[in-house]
Amino acid sequence: MDGVLVHEGHPVPGADEFVRRLHRSGRRFLVLTNNSIYTPRDLSVRLRAVGLEIPPESIWTSALATARFLDTQRPGGSAYVIGEAGLTTALHEAGYVLTDIDPDYVVLGETRTYSFTQITRAIRLIEAGARFIATNPDPVGPSSEGSLPACGAVAAMITKATGVQPYFVGKPNPMMMRSALRAIEGHSETTAMIGDRMDTDIVSGMEAGLHTILVLTGVTTKDEIERYPFRPSQVADSVADLIDLIDADV
C-alpha cells in the first residue's frame, strides 16, 4: 500500500486509474500492508478519502496474517496483545481469547502509544513461558514529526530483556504472501507482487515464488537495486506504467 498506491498520505499519480482498471478486469487482488494498527474497514475508508476505492475484503494486513497463522498453530488459543484494533479485532475473529493470565502467546503489534507497563507485563509473561510473536519487523514508522519506534524496535527491547526472539509474521516473511494467496485462492505461478522495497516486498515475493515488480515511488531507488544479491522480475517507475499490463494476457 504505502509507496505503491499512496506516498506520504497522497495517492501516487495514476494509482486511482490502476485500481479502477483492476476492478474492471475482474482479476483478484489484495492490497498488503505491514501496519497492524487499522482494520481493513478502517483502511478502506482512509483510502477512499484520498480517492482510492478498495473494499475491506481486498486489504490484507500483518494483523490478519498473524491471526491466520496463530489459528493454524493453536486454534482457540489465548494471547496477551500489545497493539491496536486492527490486531485485537483480527485475533478475536480468529477465536482467540485476549488475556494476561497464562496466555499461550505474547503478540506484539504496532501502536502509537507503547506502554512501559504493557512491555513489562509482556517480558514477565515471556519469562513465564508464553511464546513470542510479532506482526512485523519494521524498526521505525513515519510521522509528520519524524520517525517513530515501531514493532521491530520494541521487539528488540523485549528480546534484550528476555533472551527470546519473536517470530515475525509480516513481510519479509514469505508466509504473509502465501497467506494472502490463500485468501484470494491464488497460485504463485499466476500472481504478481508489486512493491516499493527490495528488503521486504521483493524478497518476500521472490521467496513465495511470485513475479515481482519494483516500483520507484517509495523507499528503494533505482541505484540501490544493484546492492542486493537478488533482483525483481521487473522494475517500473510507478503503477501508472503497469496499467496496460492488467488487461494483457500474461
Side-chain angles (χ1 to χ4, degrees), residues 164-198:
V164 177
Q165 294 279 351
Y167 182 72
F168 292 106
V169 177
K171 301 177 294 181
N173 189 339
M175 179 177 293
M176 183 163 174
M177 296 297 180
R178 295 192 186 107
S179 65
L181 279 174
R182 287 193 292 272
I184 58 173
E185 298 180 343
H187 193 282
S188 60
E189 292 182 1
T190 55
T191 302
M193 192 287 310
I194 305 170
D196 74 304
R197 294 186 65 128
M198 289 288 289

Side-chain angles (χ1 to χ4, degrees), residues 38-48 54-61 64 86 89 93:
Y38 303 106
T39 67
R41 185 181 299 176
D42 296 334
L43 289 171
S44 179
V45 171
R46 293 168 72 89
L47 288 167
R48 186 180 304 123
I54 300 173
E57 59 269 23
S58 294
I59 298 173
W60 193 251
T61 70
L64 292 175
T89 300
E93 291 178 350

Side-chain angles (χ1 to χ4, degrees), residues 40-238:
R41 185 181 299 176
D42 296 334
L43 289 171
S44 179
V45 171
R46 293 168 72 89
L47 288 167
R48 186 180 304 123
V50 297
L52 300 177
E53 289 291 339
I54 300 173
E57 59 269 23
S58 294
I59 298 173
W60 193 251
T61 70
S62 63
L64 292 175
T66 298
R68 180 74 61 90
F69 170 71
L70 292 182
D71 185 48
T72 66
Q73 296 293 301
R74 290 177 178 268
S78 60
Y80 177 71
V81 178
I82 299 177
E84 300 286 346
L87 182 55
T88 57
T89 300
L91 288 169
H92 271 307
E93 291 178 350
Y96 258 64
V97 173
L98 307 189
T99 179
D100 66 348
I101 301 173
D102 193 26
D104 296 315
Y105 297 96
V106 166
V107 181
L108 176 67
E110 298 284 5
T111 174
R112 298 294 171 83
T113 55
Y114 284 109
S115 159
F116 185 78
T117 300
Q118 287 182 314
I119 293 170
T120 300
R121 184 61 178 151
I123 289 169
R124 291 172 181 170
L125 289 171
I126 292 169
E127 288 175 335
R131 301 152 190 88
F132 188 16
I133 299 287
T135 58
N136 63 286
D138 303 59
V140 294
S143 78
S144 57
E145 294 82 25
S147 295
L148 292 172
C151 185
V154 178
M157 179 167 60
I158 294 174
T159 293
K160 189 70 173 178
T162 62
V164 177
Q165 294 279 351
Y167 182 72
F168 292 106
V169 177
K171 301 177 294 181
N173 189 339
M175 179 177 293
M176 183 163 174
M177 296 297 180
R178 295 192 186 107
S179 65
L181 279 174
R182 287 193 292 272
I184 58 173
E185 298 180 343
H187 193 282
S188 60
E189 292 182 1
T190 55
T191 302
M193 192 287 310
I194 305 170
D196 74 304
R197 294 186 65 128
M198 289 288 289
D199 58 346
T200 56
D201 303 325
I202 300 303
V203 69
S204 58
M206 178 193 68
E207 291 180 353
L210 310 183
H211 181 87
T212 57
I213 304 173
L214 177 73
V215 291
L216 303 176
T217 48
V219 173
T220 300
T221 65
K222 192 170 185 177
D223 292 339
E224 291 173 334
I225 298 173
E226 294 300 328
R227 298 180 187 176
Y228 292 87
F230 51 88
R231 293 182 59 83
S233 305
Q234 67 185 94
V235 179
D237 287 333
S238 78

